[in-house]
Amino acid sequence: MSPLQKTAASILCAIFLLMVLATILVPAPYARQFRDAPNARPSTAHPLGTDALGRDSLSRLLYGTRVSLLLAPAAALLSTVIAALLGSAAGFLGGRFERIVLAVTDLSLALPWLFLLLTVRAMLPLDVPPMVSVIISFLMMGLLGWQASVRVICAAARGIKDSDFLLLARSSGCKPARLLLCHVTPNLRSLFYAQFWISIPLFILTEANLSILGLGVMEPMASWGNLLRGFEDFSALGANPWRLVPLILLVIVVMCFQLVLPSQEVTQ
Amino acid sequence: MRRLYVALVLALVLCWPCFVSAESASQSGGELHFCLHGEPKTFNPLLVEDGQSEIVRYLTGGVLIRLNRQTQALEPALATSWKATPDGRTIKFHLRTGLHFSDGTPFTSEDVAYTVKALMDPQLHSPTGDSFRSGDGQVSVQTPTADTITVTFPAPVAGLERLFDQVAILSAHSPKKEMAVLGPFYVADYSPGSYVLLRRNPNYWKKDKEGKPLPYLDSIRLDIQSNHEIEILRFRRGEIHIINSLDADLFDRLQKESPAAAHDSGPSLDSEFVWFNQVPTAAFPDYKKAWFRSTEFRKAISLAINRDDLARIVYAGHAQPAYGPISPANHFWFNSALPVPKYDSAAALRLLAQAGFRFDGNILRDSSGNRVEFTLITSTGNKPREQMVTMIQQDLSQIGIKVNMVTLDFPSLIERITRTFDYEACLLGFTNTDLDPNSQMNVWLSSAENHQWNPKQSKPATPWEAEIDHLMQSQSSSTSDKKRKADWDRVQQIVSEQQPFIYLVNGDAMSAISPAVIGSAPSVLDPHAFWNVDVLRLGPDPSLGAQK
């Protein structure tokens, strides 16, 4: 592990620790409104100030980190698993199966999923607890967010299919399932990791957009997504630069995730 | 010959400034720019039902009687005088003479007769005409002279004179049909999705105190722009001169940058409110239906909501706490004698105890031990409403009630509150453009579709709803303003006692007007910023916006 990777890993560990200890560390419950101090500047009582309703921004950031850092990677994992299964099988098997998978991928890329999400939200019972609603939202994101990764993985698997080591394995009598699981998939591992890591910020931002449509994390729960909604009032950021902290944290976390990636290359 | 030519050229050069100044004098008012938030659905003034078409109708339509948006009094327009009979069925107008439509067609009582007949034609389905339809039968119109007309409706019409503020007179003879107008401007060009260009009507009847013809402006360009952020950006750049309606957030941002451009005219007629679903067939447990039908429960919720905080925090002080269906901005119809309940969670708990609820520690339970918890829905993307629900969550948690918030896209929300009734409580707003509360008949009658807490009842479910029905019918068939006011005062009192709608706030009427616009006088009534469009003009630098 390089020093840079160690630093990134340490930062991630620190953020995860803060996330776990949020209950002890936060100055106030994340939903509590200090109505005498809406939009307050940072102070000893509120180290990151308060939001428009007077809620402590640091508390909301720490609780929001919990939601986003647990659920966005979960959704990213789900979508990467789906993409890995479909993409590597399509690339390896080729022929009609590949054409069908790619056609389904193209079709699902072209479909207006937003309307499906709106319909699902409208069909959900209204008394679903907020946490369940959040999990359903991230689950749907995971189930619907695999298409772009499938194309990338399929192209990489197609490249491996004709490689010398696979030819050798095939001539040694390896069956297709073993070829796929023991030879193709391990060589695509770094690609899976990359797809996984780049999906995380994507899902965090998707959740932010879905929150605007009433599909993401509902108030008063906090998430990075609904904290980023504060950026709608862009002109206020110059006067209140501490409101950029959620964005800075998001950038740091994503960068750290990218840096700790094992620097493996696809073995040819 | 050459000398003559030189002399002519010289004369032309010397006289050129005179031509130029004559031309610039006729162009002195300049071109006003502002945005429509969507496509106008129609240019036929009788078929207007959307806000964009309403703006075009206001700017182009000539009416017999105009409501002054500032004094809230009726003023003569195309009619110099009018008289309604005591039975409220007949109204006689004396018209101005010698007027012409924008295309030069003369204006006579025949045009008014043609307009009224078209307005009341059942085949046309005019939304404006609906307000006049208080009974079955034909409207009768008599035009004894070219400047006199008598209109008799089949049944008494409440607030008859005021309704004529919405009726733009059409020409009976113009080949241009509804595009020939009597208002200050006419539609000169329309590019779908892009703009509507209105030009000054050279035949407009009104003159200023010095006898100069109005309007001062040469033209108005209405750019079609649905995005409010882009609209305010364009205002800052000086590309548009007016934003007719602003929310509190945008208003505060603008006020910081350019205080002279931001105008808060005070509480508007619009209100935000919460109601509980009392539909007997609604899809939630019976014990919840019993809570929502309990007057004490609804009153307790009303007492436990801190309206002052909602107005101060969500609207940044640009709203007033609301307690009833008529805004204090409606000077005549507002019942100022009603008590103003203050936020009092202890009093709310006492009321709940009277109704059999128990507050054990942090949780409120009903007499059967069920935890008091409900879901409050509102429209997604509406930040003030989402913030109000979040604040109500905290207020009601003080008395042990758990409120779950769900935001839904508008079509889904409408589906739930009008068809499936699959919801428990809802927070929405009511945009009111009419001072006369008769326009709220479709809300207060128990048989009405917009009687949201329990719509389309075959007979009133409660004695107080029956009393409201009686009062509403009584006021709608009366022509005495005193009697109607008494009926409405009682309706407001019943609503205050029963709280079928828990009113939260009346938002202020806020608008942005560039300092380059001269003569503006923002009003709480719509159109706030340009109700006096005929006397508006642009200053020395008409291209200026808020902060150039």
Side-chain angles (χ1 to χ4, degrees), chain A residues 31-33 35-36 38 52-53 55 118 121-122 124 126-127 212-214 218-220 229 232-233 235, chain B residues 253 306 309 312-313 375 377 380-381 383 386-387 390-391 393-395 405-407 412 416 422-423:
Chain A
R32 183 170 167 196
Q33 296 157 15
R35 294 189 180 175
D36 294 331
L53 298 182
R55 295 174 296 193
L118 285 171
R121 172 65 264 187
L124 276 179
L126 295 180
D127 54 358
I212 294 169
L213 294 168
M218 280 288 100
E219 293 275 4
R229 281 181 73 185
E232 284 169 0
D233 183 4
S235 60
Chain B
R253 275 154 63 183
N306 192 334
D309 278 358
R312 182 173 57 84
I313 295 174
T375 302
I377 60 171
T380 194
K383 200 170 158 190
E386 289 177 17
Q387 289 183 334
T390 309
M391 293 186 74
Q393 277 180 324
Q394 175 158 313
D395 284 343
M405 170 184 177
V406 172
T407 61
S412 304
R416 282 182 190 262
D422 183 11
Y423 72 101

Side-chain angles (χ1 to χ4, degrees), chain A residues 4-113:
Chain A
L4 199 62
Q5 282 179 315
K6 281 181 188 167
T7 311
S10 311
I11 292 172
L12 278 179
C13 288
I15 290 171
F16 269 96
L17 194 66
L18 284 174
M19 184 184 86
V20 173
L21 298 175
T23 320
I24 306 164
L25 294 172
V26 292
Y30 68 90
R32 183 170 167 196
Q33 296 157 15
F34 295 90
R35 294 189 180 175
D36 294 331
N39 290 317
R41 303 172 75 87
S43 62
T44 43
H46 307 292
L48 286 180
T50 60
D51 69 3
L53 298 182
R55 295 174 296 193
D56 184 77
S57 297
L58 177 62
S59 310
R60 293 188 67 72
L61 182 65
L62 291 178
Y63 275 100
T65 306
R66 264 188 185 183
V67 171
S68 297
L69 277 192
L70 288 177
L71 293 177
L77 182 67
L78 179 63
S79 74
T80 308
V81 167
I82 295 171
L85 287 173
L86 285 174
S88 47
F92 176 69
L93 296 174
R96 187 174 292 173
F97 183 75
E98 184 185 3
R99 284 201 296 278
I100 290 170
V101 168
L102 291 181
V104 170
T105 305
D106 288 344
L107 183 69
S108 60
L109 275 171
L111 287 174
W113 289 114

Side-chain angles (χ1 to χ4, degrees), chain B residues 182-404:
Chain B
L182 288 160
F185 298 91
Y186 67 93
V187 178
D189 191 12
Y190 169 46
S191 173
S194 180
Y195 67 88
V196 180
L197 181 66
L198 309 179
R199 285 203 194 285
R200 181 177 184 275
N201 177 2
N203 300 325
Y204 186 52
W205 61 274
K206 211 171 176 180
K207 291 185 169 49
D208 69 5
K209 284 176 189 167
E210 291 161 7
K212 286 183 187 165
L214 295 173
Y216 293 129
L217 292 166
D218 299 315
S219 53
I220 300 178
R221 187 184 159 102
L222 306 169
D223 289 325
I224 296 167
Q225 175 57 258
S226 59
N227 187 310
H228 291 256
E229 290 289 334
I230 295 176
E231 186 183 22
I232 200 156
L233 196 66
R234 293 189 63 193
F235 185 83
R236 285 195 191 114
R237 286 181 190 156
E239 292 172 9
I240 57 170
H241 300 101
I242 283 177
I243 301 177
N244 188 46
S245 184
L246 283 172
D247 65 26
D249 250 10
L250 293 177
F251 181 86
D252 271 357
R253 275 154 63 183
L254 186 67
Q255 197 174 36
K256 280 176 200 155
E257 294 161 7
S258 177
H263 298 270
D264 183 342
S265 311
S268 67
L269 302 182
D270 304 343
S271 53
E272 300 288 324
F273 49 84
V274 169
W275 77 90
F276 291 101
N277 183 355
Q278 297 182 48
V279 175
T281 54
F284 51 81
D286 286 343
Y287 63 84
K288 285 195 176 184
K289 288 177 189 165
W291 305 342
F292 300 159
R293 285 193 206 119
S294 157
T295 305
E296 285 78 14
F297 179 82
R298 295 193 301 268
K299 286 175 85 170
I301 298 288
S302 177
L303 278 170
I305 294 174
N306 192 334
R307 293 169 173 82
D308 289 323
D309 278 358
L310 296 182
R312 182 173 57 84
I313 295 174
V314 176
Y315 288 87
H318 303 295
Q320 299 295 321
Y323 302 100
I326 305 288
S327 161
N330 194 341
H331 303 151
F332 181 73
W333 296 101
F334 176 64
N335 184 354
S336 55
L338 288 178
V340 175
K342 287 286 173 198
Y343 165 67
D344 189 344
S345 53
L349 279 172
R350 283 196 296 275
L351 260 178
L352 288 165
Q354 282 171 24
F357 291 87
R358 295 193 317 273
F359 184 52
D360 50 359
N362 293 322
I363 295 174
L364 186 75
R365 296 186 189 279
D366 66 9
S367 52
S368 309
N370 299 302
R371 183 180 184 174
V372 180
E373 175 180 0
F374 61 86
T375 302
L376 183 53
I377 60 171
T378 192
S379 51
T380 194
N382 189 316
K383 200 170 158 190
R385 285 184 189 153
E386 289 177 17
Q387 289 183 334
M388 278 195 282
V389 175
T390 309
M391 293 186 74
I392 290 170
Q393 277 180 324
Q394 175 158 313
D395 284 343
L396 297 190
S397 71
Q398 308 290 319
I399 56 169
I401 296 177
K402 187 180 176 197
V403 179
N404 298 314

